[in-house]
Amino acid sequence: MSSLRLIGVRTRPGRRALGLLIAGPRAIPVALGRSGIQANKREGDGATPAGRFRPLRLWWRADRLPRPRSSLPVRPITSADAWCEDPGDRRYNRPFRRAPHQTGDRLKRADGLYDVIVEIDHNTRPRIAGRGSAVFIHVARENFGPTAGCVALRRSELLRLVALLSRRTRIDIHF
């Protein structure tokens, strides 16, 4: 399986929360953060961060679909999996096992948006508190409503895309 070397994500003119993901010859519609693409990403600002990123890992709901084809490391999502969005926590912008009473963005969601997640290396080296967490490529809402700062596309398109991703792929997000 041949992998993509570069994926581009751009805002659609006049529609800051909608964009296009360019993967080889394909232009795929995507939903972006409600604040569009911003260079100075902050926690809770609703912006999709501008920059060049790498895909790190593929997460998926094994109870909803078969394991997706991908050369990325793959991890099934369990009910205990969460993502730390608290800038004051030492686990900030990292996955962790969540007890029922703990806070954190649960990865096992009822709405299907996280049935397939591509974890990217936004704000990872170094991790800076408050510069944004849980920025993923994931499944879009049916109406392509804005994300909290992620890039979202149709599940069928996302499954095609993950089959072409590798740790060598670069994701270029710009205005």
Side-chain angles (χ1 to χ4, degrees):
M1 171 175 27
S2 140
S3 65
L4 290 170
R5 301 285 284 163
L6 181 66
I7 300 170
V9 177
R10 305 283 184 268
T11 304
R12 291 176 89 173
R15 310 282 306 270
R16 71 180 177 188
L18 293 175
L20 290 173
L21 183 147
I22 310 302
R26 301 194 61 198
I28 303 165
V30 295
L32 302 169
R34 69 182 179 277
S35 302
I37 297 173
Q38 301 289 327
N40 192 21
K41 170 79 180 140
R42 295 282 183 201
E43 190 68 43
D45 66 1
T48 299
R52 185 169 273 197
F53 307 102
R54 291 179 311 124
L56 298 177
R57 180 173 19 196
L58 177 66
W59 298 73
W60 105 102
R61 289 282 302 267
D63 59 324
R64 292 197 173 162
L65 65 151
R67 179 185 170 127
R69 284 184 343 165
S70 183
S71 63
L72 293 173
V74 180
R75 182 170 166 183
I77 296 170
T78 70
S79 58
D81 289 319
W83 204 270
C84 184
E85 297 177 317
D86 178 357
D89 191 307
R90 64 179 172 74
R91 300 170 299 186
Y92 179 66
N93 197 29
R94 288 190 178 158
F96 70 98
R97 306 288 287 171
R98 181 183 182 271
H101 67 281
Q102 286 180 300
T103 60
D105 187 9
R106 280 195 181 271
L107 299 184
K108 192 168 188 177
R109 296 172 55 136
D111 62 12
L113 298 184
Y114 285 3
D115 283 1
V116 180
I117 302 170
V118 177
E119 177 187 343
I120 65 172
D121 68 345
H122 169 262
N123 194 23
T124 59
R125 290 183 184 196
R127 278 181 308 132
I128 300 171
R131 293 304 302 241
S133 63
V135 176
F136 306 127
I137 299 173
H138 64 75
V139 178
R141 291 178 173 83
E142 279 189 36
N143 65 355
F144 275 80
T147 70
C150 298
V151 174
L153 52 157
R154 286 184 191 90
R155 186 166 108 169
S156 61
E157 295 285 2
L158 182 52
L159 290 170
R160 275 190 214 109
L161 180 67
V162 299
L164 300 173
L165 296 180
S166 76
R167 296 289 301 263
R168 299 176 72 147
T169 303
R170 295 298 175 255
I171 304 161
D172 188 24
I173 303 174
H174 284 289
F175 312 99

